[in-house]
Amino acid sequence: MLNNSEWKPVRKAVFPVAGMGTRFLPATKVMPKEMLPLVDRPLIQHAMEEAKAAGIEEFIFVTGRQKEMLEEHFDYQPELQRTLEARGKTDLLEKVRESELSESQLFLTRQARPLGLGHAIWCARKLVGNEPFAVLLPDDVILSDTPCMKQMIHQYNQTGGNMLAVMDVPLEDTSKYGVLDVESDDGTIAKVKGMVEKPAPEDAPSTLSVIGRYILQPQIFDQLSKFETGAGGEIQLTDAIAKFIGNQPLNGFRYKGQRYDCGSREGFIEANIAFSLQDPVIGESVRNMVQKYAQQVQTKVA
Ligand code: UTP
């Protein structure tokens, strides 16, 4: 653990869920994108469970219009529980209980207009206060032995500062990510000297790209409150983080695991296949299904 008077533990996590999810229309016309089910639980619950496994105590949701279903999902449902109890469905009862957050764990704030991820995080400033915090984007889902945020907090406890989960992407995909300009790289931690949001491949300083997991210091809120817009006219979180390079350490952390972009249809479908193959109950039949379709595809090509 860092022996530094400025170091504080990460106890709070922010989940920005106020985006419009246009890539999933019309499914997301009424239902929040973060409620799309990955196997048997919504994306937002996967993110909540990852944070819980990392020791997070307070869960802060930045919601918006038509997102009420998200808070309902984490609420206590007495009727449902009584019915499951009466029917002896203890396994389902246990699953329902796992989806609950108590009054001392769940905190909500709203982003009235979706002005960008940086703005969504700024909306959580009062609930976060003056301590470091985690950010988890629920549409990035990571399949791993140790939950990604747990790996990050373990690393953060040695290094402090600001930390971004990163992965190498194909060069032609850099325009979808925040990309790091790296000062040094030991294979796990990349010290960052600059960052570019969504660069064209020819302008990308590397292929090391930021995914939706961050540990940030509270000073970020001072920068975000300037409401400076960046790529796409949005208030970008990565731009605000980049302003602290030189003042606070900024590290890219290569987590161990496979990340799926569930904000895109292909990524969401792939994640459902990957997660269901791991499922102890349906894994076997999904494996047979995948093999069946793989054979059909091969026969068509032949
Ligand atoms: P995305 O960049 O995927 O945007 O947001 P989106 O609006 O949800 O989806 P598309 O691109 O229209 O399909 C990443 C995460 O940040 C949140 C989203 O809810 C999502 O969890 N977000 C984004 C906000 O909370 N507010 C914003 O202004 C933008």
Side-chain angles (χ1 to χ4, degrees), residues 15-24 33-34 62-63 67 111 113-121 136-139 198 234 261 263:
F15 301 84
V17 290
M20 293 199 289
T22 53
R23 283 170 288 169
F24 274 96
K33 169 177 74 173
E34 300 79 7
V62 182
T63 75
K67 299 280 181 166
Q111 184 191 29
R113 287 163 298 154
L115 299 178
L117 178 59
H119 182 258
I121 301 304
L136 294 94
L137 307 193
D139 40 12
K198 302 190 170 63
E234 296 195 342
D261 174 13

Side-chain angles (χ1 to χ4, degrees), residues 62-77:
V62 182
T63 75
R65 276 186 300 285
Q66 293 192 316
K67 299 280 181 166
E68 291 76 13
M69 199 189 284
L70 285 160
E71 48 199 273
E72 286 286 327
H73 179 75
F74 293 112
D75 214 350
Y76 174 53
Q77 296 280 2

Side-chain angles (χ1 to χ4, degrees), residues 6 16 35 65 102 119 232:
E6 287 181 12
M35 286 302 293
R65 276 186 300 285
S102 71
H119 182 258

Side-chain angles (χ1 to χ4, degrees), residues 84-102:
L84 292 173
E85 242 158 14
R87 293 182 184 170
K89 305 256 182 205
T90 45
D91 49 340
L92 290 178
L93 189 60
E94 190 51 37
K95 280 193 172 192
V96 169
R97 286 195 177 128
E98 278 166 15
S99 70
E100 283 171 18
L101 286 173
S102 71

Side-chain angles (χ1 to χ4, degrees), residues 212-282:
R213 299 289 182 277
Y214 312 72
I215 294 176
L216 301 173
Q217 299 298 320
Q219 290 76 20
I220 193 82
F221 294 122
D222 300 334
Q223 179 57 37
L224 289 172
S225 66
K226 294 177 187 164
F227 301 130
E228 289 172 3
T229 52
E234 296 195 342
I235 299 170
Q236 297 286 353
L237 182 60
T238 42
D239 290 345
I241 297 169
K243 298 275 183 199
F244 288 91
I245 295 172
N247 295 324
Q248 291 179 346
L250 176 58
N251 293 310
F253 172 67
R254 282 197 177 84
Y255 57 93
K256 290 194 171 64
Q258 177 66 46
R259 168 259 191 185
Y260 298 92
D261 174 13
C262 290
S264 77
R265 291 185 296 171
E266 300 93 318
F268 178 70
I269 290 166
E270 191 182 350
N272 265 290
I273 295 170
F275 274 71
S276 55
L277 283 171
Q278 305 270 323
D279 188 286
V281 180
I282 63 168

